[in-house]
Amino acid sequence: MANVAVIGAQWGDEGKGKVVDWLASRADLVVRFQGGHNAGHTLVVGDQTYKLSLLPSGVVRGKIGLIGNGVVLDPEALLSEIAKVTAQGLTVTPENLRIAENVPLILPLHPALDKARETARGGDKIGTTGRGIGPAYEDKVGRRSIRLCDLAEPETLSKKLDELLLHHNSLLRGLGAPVFEKQALLDGLLALAPKLLPFAEAVWERLDEARHSGKRVLFEGAQAVMLDVDHGTYPYVTSSNTVAGSAAAGSGVGPDAIGMVLGIAKAYSTRVGSGPFPTELHDDIGRGLGERGHEFGTVTGRPRRCGWFDACMVRQAVKIGGINGIALTKLDVLDGMAELKICTGYRIKGEVFRRLPSAFQAQAAAEPIYEVLEGWSGSTRGARSYAQLPAAAVKYVRRIEELVEAPVVLLSTSPDRDDTITLRDPFAG
């Protein structure tokens, strides 16, 4: 059996939670490999709904969850999330949750800088969640991060805080924001140490052991390819690499260990926050998609922008992200629509493109070229086989496969984890 990496194939919020939950029930280990608590998965298990931001989805299914070194970890957010799911009946201890000892930490100064920068941008806001993700990744590549392992060495922690504050307090002063005092930060981190260090380990060693013993590993991504810091709609992106290749670097395995790459895509498109969105609908159709699809961010609660399926963009995500198969979600949201549109390319200043260019103004000027398909009056909700789908729905899915150049291997027809049409087992490779 192969390992599986799950990534978003659009701008995030594609319904990864349900798919990851379904796969996690059959995995031995679930690894979160990038991002922070700015992303979230919603898992519906029986009468319980779990909203996870940092915890790997496997903990809901009693599996071992690993937080890899590619994540930026907010200690307070993690402990709060553990308390929340514990109150819902889950058990999260060092027995079933392990955290890479070299994971960078998000400190209170990171969200402070994040928010101060967004305020300074005025009308040109990027649309960050203000949770300090970007500044924490900046510290990582700037080689000044406080990492989990530093909590075990108070002297190291003290010296690193001096360097960190030299950098951040200068920026905060320049932005007219309050600065931070070293002692308060040091005391806070030392108080957190006994709560966090029991979870720390060399995650790469556990993954190496799992590989040699034939265990199934699920690599769980956050956000999506079009929010990748290199390949997305820059600068309206997240601060990490969201493509499947980062599962290796972000967890401590070789690229050959990633296995099948499953890309999650909605049957239409959504986006939270600012940035280009060629197929966005500002009319009753767009509002209807948002209402029927309950399109609100898991973490932020922000309403999502909605539009038609962009096959040109998903095809780009397939190529860049190394996607082997698509899990198409929320097909039932399209039930009852007389006609549907799929974007097959863009017109930019009179020129036709089959990809979304990297240049900022070109992205903003992209006008979608649509192909119109017949909708369906019947219901797809709850369907568990192709035979239960209206013919027009099958045609819509088949056309998406052709345009994105990847097969649909899973088809979700409701939030219920069992309402899934399985055309290929991702763990079969």
Side-chain angles (χ1 to χ4, degrees):
M1 300 289 279
N3 296 332
V4 177
V6 174
I7 62 174
Q10 294 162 314
W11 279 297
D13 306 307
E14 300 96 348
K16 290 189 289 294
K18 169 185 169 175
V19 177
V20 167
D21 177 45
W22 183 77
L23 291 168
S25 65
R26 303 170 56 231
D28 298 300
L29 302 170
V30 181
V31 190
R32 174 78 183 275
F33 61 86
Q34 50 78 217
H37 64 306
N38 58 335
H41 292 163
T42 300
L43 287 71
V44 180
V45 182
D47 60 353
Q48 286 279 13
T49 298
Y50 301 98
K51 293 183 181 293
L52 306 182
S53 295
L54 282 168
L55 290 173
S57 300
V59 299
V60 173
R61 294 289 169 186
K63 305 302 175 74
I64 294 176
L66 306 176
I67 295 178
N69 57 276
V71 172
V72 284
L73 182 74
D74 185 317
E76 297 287 2
L78 176 67
L79 294 173
S80 175
E81 191 172 321
I82 290 174
K84 183 174 67 175
V85 299
T86 299
Q88 291 182 274
L90 293 184
T91 299
V92 180
T93 71
E95 294 296 314
N96 65 342
L97 175 66
R98 309 302 293 167
I99 304 173
E101 61 186 1
N102 53 339
V103 71
L105 301 181
I106 296 177
L107 308 188
L109 49 77
H110 291 123
L113 180 58
D114 206 353
K115 292 170 186 174
R117 281 176 171 167
E118 279 288 83
T119 299
R121 289 186 180 107
D124 294 324
K125 287 180 172 60
I126 290 176
T128 77
T129 59
R131 300 189 174 213
I133 310 302
Y137 274 116
E138 289 177 41
D139 282 345
K140 177 180 177 178
V141 298
R143 294 167 293 187
R144 54 180 172 263
S145 282
I146 303 296
R147 304 192 297 176
L148 180 55
C149 54
D150 296 329
L151 301 189
E153 300 179 359
E155 185 177 345
T156 299
L157 186 59
S158 179
K159 290 180 179 178
K160 293 184 78 170
L161 276 174
D162 287 331
E163 182 181 359
L164 196 65
L165 287 171
L166 178 65
H167 176 80
H168 280 272
N169 280 343
S170 297
L171 292 173
L172 289 166
R173 284 191 196 98
L175 291 165
V179 298
F180 285 79
E181 297 296 330
K182 175 184 174 180
Q183 196 60 49
L185 287 173
L186 181 60
D187 291 346
L189 288 169
L190 292 176
L192 286 168
K195 300 176 184 178
L196 292 176
L197 287 174
F199 292 97
E201 72 171 26
V203 160
W204 65 268
E205 283 189 327
R206 186 178 291 265
L207 289 171
D208 184 63
E209 186 277 329
R211 183 179 187 183
H212 287 290
S213 59
K215 293 180 179 177
R216 291 190 293 272
V217 179
L218 176 64
F219 297 94
E220 177 182 2
Q223 288 97 20
V225 173
M226 298 314 293
L227 290 176
D228 184 280
V229 69
D230 285 308
H231 301 290
T233 50
Y234 192 91
Y236 300 98
V237 293
T238 193
S239 299
S240 60
N241 287 111
T242 60
V243 294
S246 65
S251 54
V253 298
D256 58 334
I258 294 171
M260 179 182 178
V261 180
L262 183 65
I264 317 298
K266 277 178 187 163
Y268 50 100
S269 300
T270 64
R271 178 166 196 165
V272 169
S274 306
F277 187 173
T279 67
E280 183 174 9
L281 296 169
H282 301 280
D283 55 13
D284 289 342
I285 295 175
R287 286 186 287 274
L289 289 172
E291 291 167 4
R292 292 193 301 276
H294 305 290
E295 297 296 350
F296 298 92
T298 298
V299 170
T300 63
R302 291 183 291 183
R304 297 171 185 146
R305 302 153 63 190
C306 298
W308 295 118
F309 186 87
D310 190 337
C312 191
M313 184 187 72
V314 174
R315 176 183 175 275
Q316 192 164 328
V318 166
K319 306 300 183 182
I320 293 169
I323 293 170
N324 306 119
I326 295 289
L328 194 66
T329 66
K330 294 198 168 185
L331 184 67
D332 54 302
V333 174
L334 303 181
D335 289 353
M337 300 183 70
E339 73 173 25
L340 304 168
K341 295 181 180 179
I342 297 177
C343 175
T344 59
Y346 313 106
R347 187 170 283 104
I348 303 172
K349 297 181 180 179
E351 186 178 352
V352 174
F353 286 77
R354 298 299 177 188
R355 61 178 176 82
L356 192 62
S358 296
F360 174 76
Q361 291 186 6
Q363 290 181 351
E367 299 176 2
I369 299 170
Y370 285 122
E371 180 176 312
V372 180
L373 284 80
E374 179 186 359
W376 54 88
S377 57
S379 174
T380 64
R381 189 173 180 85
R384 298 184 182 183
S385 72
Y386 255 31
Q388 295 176 292
L389 296 178
V394 174
K395 184 177 180 181
Y396 181 75
V397 174
R398 295 299 189 202
R399 186 58 180 146
I400 284 175
E401 290 182 313
E402 293 170 355
L403 291 169
V404 306
E405 299 180 25
V408 172
V409 299
L410 296 174
L411 189 60
S412 172
T413 57
S414 93
D416 189 314
R417 70 190 294 269
D418 293 323
D419 290 341
T420 304
I421 299 171
T422 306
L423 303 169
R424 173 182 163 190
D425 179 4
F427 277 117

